[in-house]
Amino acid sequence: MPHYPDVPVSRRLLQIACAFIWCLTAAGPIFGFAALKTVWLREGVYMDRCTPEENEVEFICSAREIRINFIFTCASVVTNIAGVIVGSILDKYGPQICGYVGGILIGVGALMLAFADKIMLLDLYVWGYIILAFGGPFVFISSFHLSNAFPAYSGLILALLTGAFDSSTGIYLVYRLIYDETNGRFHPKAFFLLYLIVPIFILVASATIMPKDSYKPGGNIAKFGEEDDDLDLMDASSIVALEVDSRTGGIDPLRRDKTATGGGEIEDALLSEQAALLSDGERDLDRKDVYEYDAEEMAKFRISGVWGALHGRTALQQIRTPWFMLLCLFTMIQMLRLNYFVASIRAQYDFIFHSPDIARRINEVFDIALPVGGVITVPIAGYLLDNYSMAVALGVLLGMGTTMGILGNFSSLIAAYGNVGIFVIYRSLFYTTASDYSAKVFGFDTFGKVYGLISTISGVFNFAQSAFDHLTHEVLHRDPRPVNIGLLILSTSIGSLWVWYVATQTKKIRRSALETEAEQAAVLRMPGYSSSEY
C-alpha cells in the first residue's frame, strides 16, 4: 500500500529509531577492528606466533600481525558473503525473520569471543568474530526498506542507517578507552558478556515493533514484470511515470512508450489499477497521504535521474546490465581498499614515517574519527542523494576516493590526517550511495538478491586482502605504497567509467521522458478558434 497510511507515523518513527539503535551497536562493529586489535595484542593474543626475541624488541612481529589480521579478513569476507543469504531470506520471509536470525548470530558470536581465551581446541577468536560478522548484515540490510516509510526523506533515512553502521565501529573504541582507563581490568570476557544486551534488544524489537513485511515504494511496478520476464516496463528508453491530477485526484500517464510493452496494454492495466488506489472512495485509504506519496516518488525520480531504470526486470535481467556490473566492480575494489586500510593503518604509517609513535597517534585519531565520521556524513549524504542526481553523487565519491588514495602515500602529517579525515567520510558515503543507487535503479522487489550478490562477490574478492598482507610483509618489506597505488589506479579507472555511463544514461532517460511528455501534451486552441470554420 503506498505510503502505508494504516501504519501510524509514530510507529514508523519508532521502527526507524530501533533500526538506528541496532545498526549503531551491531551492524558493523567488526570494522572497528583497529581498536579491538590493540586490546587483544595487550592481552597477549597470538603471542606464541613470535619468537621470544621478537616479543622483546617488537610490539608485534610479522607472523603475529598476519595472523591477527587474518581474523579481520575472514570477518570482512563473511560480512559481504552474508549479503546474498540475507537478501534471499529478506525477499522470501521479510525483515522480521532477518532480525531474529541476526540477533541469535550476534549473541552466539559474543559468547564465543567472551570465552576465546579459555577454550584452546578451537580458535574462537576467528570463529567468534566470523559469527559476529555474519549477524551484522541481517540487521543492517533488512533495515533499508524503512527508507520507504517516509519517501520524501528516503536518502536521509538511508544515510542515517548507514551512518549508524559506520559509527558502530565506535563500540570497540569505547571499550578500548575503558580498558586503558582501568589498566586492563575490564577484561574482554566482561565486555562481550555485557554486549549480550544488544542481541537481546534486537530479538525483542523484532518481535514487538518491527514490521513483518518490507515497506515498498508505491511507484514500483516490478510485480507486473514478474509475470512476464520479457516485459521491460521501466528501462532507460521506456519509463512509465505517474503524476496526480490535482483537480480530479486521478493519475495521468505522463510518459509511455507503447512499443516497449506490445501496445501498452499492460501499462494501461497498471494505470487503471493505480488510479483505483486514489479514486476508489470505498477504500479505507488516506487520499492525501497517497497523493503526497506519488508526488514524492516523482520528485525522487526527477532528481536522481536513474530512479526506476531497471524496475520491472527480474534479478537475472538486472545483473546482466552495465548498471549492475559497474557497481559490482567498483564495490569490489572499494571494499578491498577500505578493509585493507582498516586492518593495516598502524603498520602502514609505521613504515611511511619510520616511527612507531607517530603511527600509534594516527591510529588513535583514526579510532575516534571512524565512528564520528559516520555521524558527520549522515546530513551530507542525505542532502547529496535527495537533492542531486546520481551522476553528481558518484562524481563526488570518485573525487574523494582519488584524493584519499593520493594522500595515503606521503610522509606528511597533514597528508596523513587529511587521508584519515577523507577516509571516514568517504567510507560512510560510499556505503550509503551504493545502497541508494541499488534501491533507485533495481527496485526493492529484487533489492535483496541484487545487493546481496554484490556483497557476496565483493566478499570473495576480499580474500585478496590476506594476499596483500603477505605481499606487503614478505615481498615488499612492509612497504604498503605499491599495493595502495595499484588499488588507486583500478578504483579511479572503474569509477570514471561508472560515472560516465550513469551520466550518459541519465541524459537519455530525461530526453526520452521529455519527448514522450511532449507527444502526450494537450493541444491548446487559439482564442477565437471554431471547429465550424474547417
Side-chain angles (χ1 to χ4, degrees):
M1 181 184 299
H3 208 190
Y4 301 91
D6 55 327
V7 182
V9 171
S10 59
R11 186 172 183 83
R12 279 178 272 155
L13 289 173
L14 183 60
Q15 290 166 348
I16 293 172
C18 287
F20 174 79
I21 292 172
W22 71 34
C23 284
L24 184 64
T25 54
I30 67 154
F31 294 102
F33 180 75
L36 184 61
K37 177 181 177 180
T38 301
V39 174
W40 277 346
L41 290 174
R42 292 177 184 172
E43 287 288 318
V45 175
Y46 296 138
M47 186 172 283
D48 58 329
R49 298 269 170 170
C50 305
T51 65
E53 293 77 15
E54 287 174 327
N55 285 326
E56 288 180 5
V57 300
E58 296 183 72
F59 176 67
I60 178 172
C61 68
S62 292
R64 194 181 179 199
E65 171 90 23
I66 291 172
R67 180 60 184 179
I68 207 164
N69 283 353
F70 179 71
I71 297 176
F72 179 69
T73 299
C74 291
S76 59
V77 167
V78 167
T79 296
N80 294 319
I81 290 178
V84 72
I85 301 174
V86 176
S88 299
I89 295 175
L90 177 62
D91 290 344
K92 188 171 183 179
Y93 298 105
Q96 189 179 59
I97 297 299
C98 288
Y100 293 149
V101 176
I104 292 171
L105 289 172
I106 291 167
V108 171
L111 280 172
M112 293 177 75
L113 290 173
F115 297 99
D117 62 337
K118 305 296 182 184
I119 301 175
M120 302 302 176
L121 296 177
L122 187 66
D123 192 342
L124 293 186
Y125 288 108
V126 174
W127 287 104
Y129 214 66
I130 284 176
I131 293 176
L132 201 66
F134 193 34
F138 277 94
V139 297
F140 180 49
I141 296 177
S142 64
S143 300
F144 288 166
H145 73 100
L146 292 173
S147 64
N148 292 313
F150 298 97
Y153 304 99
S154 62
L156 179 61
I157 294 171
L158 279 174
L160 186 70
L161 296 177
T162 307
F165 164 78
D166 277 323
S167 297
S168 65
T169 59
I171 296 294
Y172 295 149
L173 169 63
V174 172
Y175 168 54
R176 196 210 73 196
L177 294 174
I178 297 175
Y179 180 88
D180 291 343
E181 288 297 318
T182 60
N183 294 317
R185 289 191 297 274
F186 189 28
H187 193 267
K189 177 182 177 180
F191 167 73
F192 283 108
L193 289 177
L194 181 63
Y195 185 74
L196 289 174
I197 295 173
V198 174
I200 292 173
F201 167 76
I202 292 172
L203 291 171
V204 172
S206 296
T208 59
I209 297 171
M210 305 307 286
K212 293 182 179 180
D213 300 314
S214 298
Y215 291 131
K216 294 182 180 180
N220 192 332
I221 59 172
K223 290 187 180 299
F224 282 81
E226 291 171 1
E227 296 174 7
D228 186 346
D229 291 349
D230 293 328
L231 292 181
D232 183 6
L233 300 184
M234 299 191 73
D235 61 11
S237 62
S238 170
I239 293 180
V240 179
L242 307 177
E243 183 167 277
V244 176
D245 185 330
S246 60
R247 294 169 296 176
T248 64
I251 300 179
D252 291 334
L254 267 182
R255 290 173 284 275
R256 300 199 296 171
D257 184 349
K258 294 180 181 290
T259 61
T261 58
E265 295 178 2
I266 299 297
E267 292 182 28
D268 290 336
L270 265 176
L271 295 172
S272 299
E273 178 156 324
Q274 295 205 24
L277 289 174
L278 295 178
S279 60
D280 187 350
E282 295 179 359
R283 293 179 183 269
D284 184 21
L285 297 176
D286 184 333
R287 291 166 57 91
K288 183 175 182 294
D289 279 350
V290 177
Y291 170 84
E292 290 177 349
Y293 189 87
D294 271 325
E296 289 157 357
E297 285 295 321
M298 286 299 300
K300 181 196 299 184
F301 165 73
R302 291 192 177 108
I303 292 171
S304 72
V306 300
W307 191 87
L310 297 179
H311 291 192
R313 296 190 183 188
T314 64
L316 183 59
Q317 290 173 328
Q318 290 174 342
I319 65 176
R320 292 174 174 172
T321 65
W323 293 98
F324 172 87
M325 294 177 186
L326 290 171
L327 168 63
C328 188
L329 286 172
F330 190 75
T331 301
M332 287 164 56
I333 301 299
Q334 296 318 299
M335 285 189 176
L336 185 57
R337 286 181 70 192
L338 297 175
N339 293 337
Y340 177 67
F341 186 77
V342 168
S344 62
I345 177 175
R346 186 165 178 171
Q348 287 196 37
Y349 281 116
D350 187 1
F351 178 89
I352 289 174
F353 286 99
H354 302 290
S355 170
D357 185 57
I358 292 178
R360 177 186 56 80
R361 294 203 305 269
I362 294 173
N363 196 159
E364 290 175 349
V365 170
F366 177 75
D367 288 344
I368 297 172
L370 191 57
V372 172
V375 176
I376 293 174
T377 309
V378 170
I380 297 174
Y383 179 79
L384 181 65
L385 295 173
D386 284 338
N387 294 278
Y388 291 93
S389 71
M390 185 58 64
V392 171
L394 296 180
V396 171
L397 202 64
L398 177 63
M400 291 179 65
T402 303
T403 304
M404 178 181 73
I406 294 172
L407 292 178
N409 296 293
F410 290 100
S411 56
S412 161
L413 281 176
I414 294 177
Y417 287 121
N419 183 32
V420 168
I422 294 175
F423 179 94
V424 298
I425 294 176
Y426 176 85
R427 183 173 179 272
S428 180
L429 183 61
F430 163 69
Y431 282 114
T432 304
T433 303
S435 57
D436 188 66
Y437 174 97
S438 298
K440 289 174 177 174
V441 172
F442 306 118
F444 275 94
D445 282 303
T446 57
F447 180 87
K449 296 183 182 70
V450 173
Y451 193 82
L453 181 59
I454 291 171
S455 295
T456 300
I457 295 173
S458 301
V460 173
F461 188 70
N462 258 259
F463 271 121
Q465 182 185 327
S466 184
F468 285 160
D469 274 336
H470 284 278
L471 176 65
T472 302
H473 285 272
E474 298 175 2
V475 178
L476 300 174
H477 307 291
R478 297 198 177 203
D479 186 354
R481 289 172 296 186
V483 172
N484 287 334
I485 291 172
L487 290 174
L488 172 62
I489 293 172
L490 276 175
S491 174
T492 304
S493 301
I494 295 171
S496 299
L497 181 60
W498 190 26
V499 172
W500 171 82
Y501 178 79
V502 172
T504 302
Q505 292 302 307
T506 297
K507 290 180 181 178
K508 290 181 179 179
I509 290 173
R510 286 176 172 166
R511 183 171 64 248
S512 177
L514 288 173
E515 290 174 353
T516 310
E517 185 173 356
E519 292 174 1
Q520 298 292 331
V523 177
L524 298 178
R525 296 174 179 175
M526 295 293 292
Y529 168 82
S530 174
S531 59
S532 61
E533 296 177 4
Y534 296 88

